[in-house]
């Protein structure tokens, strides 16, 4: 399989790492806008909303904000927010991330505007002028990417950089450690990260139609990981852990569990009931693990083309 060969090729890895470096550089610009918005939000509740794989940066914003305890936050799709929350609350602000689902994005933002809700939205560059005009009309900040993987990673970088800076004095030693990771950047570890996890990716590739599952925190990035593997030619699907546990005996396909070492207890039941469970474990802070998995997905999709 060409992908597996390239995962071990230093020249190929270096080339993609160069793209990661550029995405991280661009993300630092947009992180300032995100931090500015979060610092002045007027609502008691912050809705971290998304379309598509904007769920990854939205999830980072949600979990980080929740961990600080400084703001009540909820995580949901933008369509759900405009249907079930915003019409009935007058104390909310909305942070929106999109990876290019423009019809859903603009229809929902129209509702947000009509309701007079404070919001800030981010999306990739649209493919045509009509959509660019609509983006401008709704005040959407456009990142210079059109690819789902690149835009998801750029916005995830931006979300994390903004949150670590904004709440640097809140989480004590943990907050300082996360801020140092944000300041040092993720590009420096990109190649070694892929080299570390390439043996596990090779093992996933050997499985017949594997089902991927993950912790709740990593669900958005794990879904993108499953998509990257599928687009690389593997017959992978994703299923939430709750459904896996309910129907463990009915899931006859090989299982791959993705989680952080801090979440190990959540997978005890699955490990005890499923022989041959393949585990991909990130020994890092859960608040940044989604970025690492999203980086790996970008490497997979680039190296498989």
């Amino acid at each position: 399989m060409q992908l597996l060969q390239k995962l071990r090729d230093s020249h190929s890895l270096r080339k993609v790492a160069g793209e990661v470096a550029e995405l991280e550089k661009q993300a630092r610009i947009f992180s300032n806008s995100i931090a500015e918005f979060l610092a002045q939000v007027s609502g008691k509740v912050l809705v971290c909303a998304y379309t598509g794989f904007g769920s990854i940066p939205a999830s980072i914003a949600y979990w980080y904000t929740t961990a600080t305890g400084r703001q009540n936050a909820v995580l949901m799709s933008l369509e759900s927010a405009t249907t079930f929350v915003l019409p009935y609350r007058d104390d909310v602000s909305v942070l929106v991330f999109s990876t290019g689902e423009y019809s859903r994005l603009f229809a929902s933002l129209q509702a947000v505007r009509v309701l007079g809700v404070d919001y800030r939205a981010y999306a990739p560059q649209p493919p045509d002028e009509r959509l660019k005009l609509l983006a401008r009309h709704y005040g959407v900040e456009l990142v210079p990417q059109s690819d789902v993987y690149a835009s998801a990673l750029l916005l995830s970088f931006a979300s994390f950089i903004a949150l670590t800076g904004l709440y640097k004095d809140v989480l004590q030693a943990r907050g300082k450690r996360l801020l140092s990771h944000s300041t040092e950047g993720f590009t420096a570890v990109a190649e070694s990260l892929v080299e570390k996890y390439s043996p596990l990716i090779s093992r996933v590739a050997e499985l017949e139609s594997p089902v991927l599952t993950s912790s709740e925190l990593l669900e958005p990035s794990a879904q993108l990981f499953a998509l990257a593997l599928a687009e690389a030619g593997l017959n992978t699907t994703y299923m939430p852990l709750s459904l896996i546990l309910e129907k463990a005996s009915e899931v006859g396909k090989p299982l791959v569990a993705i989680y952080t070492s801090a979440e190990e207890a959540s997978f005890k039941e699955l490990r005890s009931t499923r022989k041959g469970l393949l585990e991909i474990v990130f020994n890092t802070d859960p608040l940044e693990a989604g970025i690492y998995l999203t980086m790996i997905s970008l490497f997979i999709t680039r190296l498989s083309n």
Side-chain angles (χ1 to χ4, degrees):
M1 187 178 182
Q2 186 182 29
L3 169 62
L4 301 181
Q5 293 174 337
K6 287 189 174 182
L7 284 171
R8 294 186 286 268
D9 178 60
S10 58
H11 175 73
S12 298
L13 294 179
R14 200 174 304 118
K15 183 178 179 181
V16 183
E19 181 182 357
V20 172
E22 183 59 28
L23 292 174
E24 190 166 21
K25 180 180 177 181
Q26 295 167 351
R28 294 192 182 279
I29 299 171
F30 289 92
S31 70
N32 294 326
S33 169
I34 296 170
E36 176 190 41
F37 175 74
L38 292 176
Q40 57 85 45
V41 289
S42 55
K44 292 181 180 179
V45 179
L46 174 66
V47 178
C48 301
Y50 60 87
T51 70
F53 284 105
S55 55
I56 302 172
S59 176
I60 291 170
Y62 165 74
W63 287 107
Y64 210 111
T65 302
T66 300
T68 67
R70 290 295 181 90
Q71 177 109 34
N72 293 321
V74 294
L75 174 67
M76 62 179 61
S77 72
L78 183 57
E79 289 174 301
S80 293
T82 56
T83 303
F84 303 115
V85 177
L86 304 188
Y88 310 104
R89 300 287 297 261
D90 57 6
D91 59 350
V92 298
S93 297
V94 186
L95 178 61
V96 182
F97 296 102
S98 172
T99 49
E101 303 72 29
Y102 300 107
S103 59
R104 279 184 283 157
L105 175 65
F106 296 144
S108 295
L109 288 181
Q110 182 179 27
V112 175
R113 274 204 170 174
V114 168
L115 293 166
V117 175
D118 184 32
Y119 74 92
R120 186 73 58 90
Y122 303 86
Q125 283 283 353
D128 61 58
E129 287 302 317
R130 183 185 67 85
L131 293 175
K132 288 178 182 178
L133 287 172
L134 282 170
R136 194 175 303 123
H137 173 72
Y138 289 112
V140 178
E141 295 196 24
L142 298 176
V143 300
Q145 302 293 332
S146 57
D147 170 83
V148 168
Y149 296 91
S151 58
L153 184 56
L154 188 159
L155 290 171
S156 295
F157 281 148
S159 181
F160 185 79
I161 293 167
L163 271 294
T164 53
L166 187 64
Y167 295 120
K168 61 184 177 182
D169 298 321
V170 177
L171 297 176
Q172 300 178 330
R174 183 189 188 190
K176 289 181 173 60
R177 184 176 64 253
L178 290 170
L179 177 62
S180 71
H181 293 176
S182 171
T183 303
E184 293 164 5
F186 293 89
T187 302
V189 301
E191 291 180 58
S192 60
L193 175 75
V194 175
E195 289 170 350
K196 177 180 179 179
Y197 286 95
S198 60
L200 286 170
I201 296 171
S202 297
R203 289 182 61 188
V204 175
E206 294 169 357
L207 300 175
E208 184 177 351
S209 303
V211 175
L212 277 60
T213 191
S214 70
S215 61
E216 182 183 0
L217 184 145
L218 284 178
E219 188 168 312
S221 51
Q223 290 175 335
L224 185 66
F225 180 62
L227 177 63
L229 291 172
E231 291 183 344
L234 304 182
N235 188 22
T236 52
T237 54
Y238 180 87
M239 186 178 292
L241 179 61
S242 58
L243 289 179
I244 292 285
L245 293 175
E246 284 179 19
K247 303 181 179 181
S249 60
E250 300 175 27
V251 181
K253 296 178 180 179
L255 278 179
V256 180
I258 307 168
Y259 57 94
T260 67
S261 53
E263 301 166 303
E264 189 173 359
S266 301
F267 288 82
K268 276 188 176 180
E269 181 182 347
L270 190 62
R271 293 162 99 188
S272 65
T273 57
R274 286 299 296 250
K275 292 182 179 180
L277 176 69
L278 178 57
E279 298 169 271
I280 300 177
V281 183
F282 290 88
N283 188 24
T284 186
D285 192 297
L287 293 177
E288 61 187 348
I291 290 180
Y292 291 118
L293 187 53
T294 304
M295 276 202 295
I296 291 173
S297 298
L298 179 76
F299 271 88
I300 289 172
T301 192
R302 294 298 187 259
L303 296 176
S304 61
N305 290 331

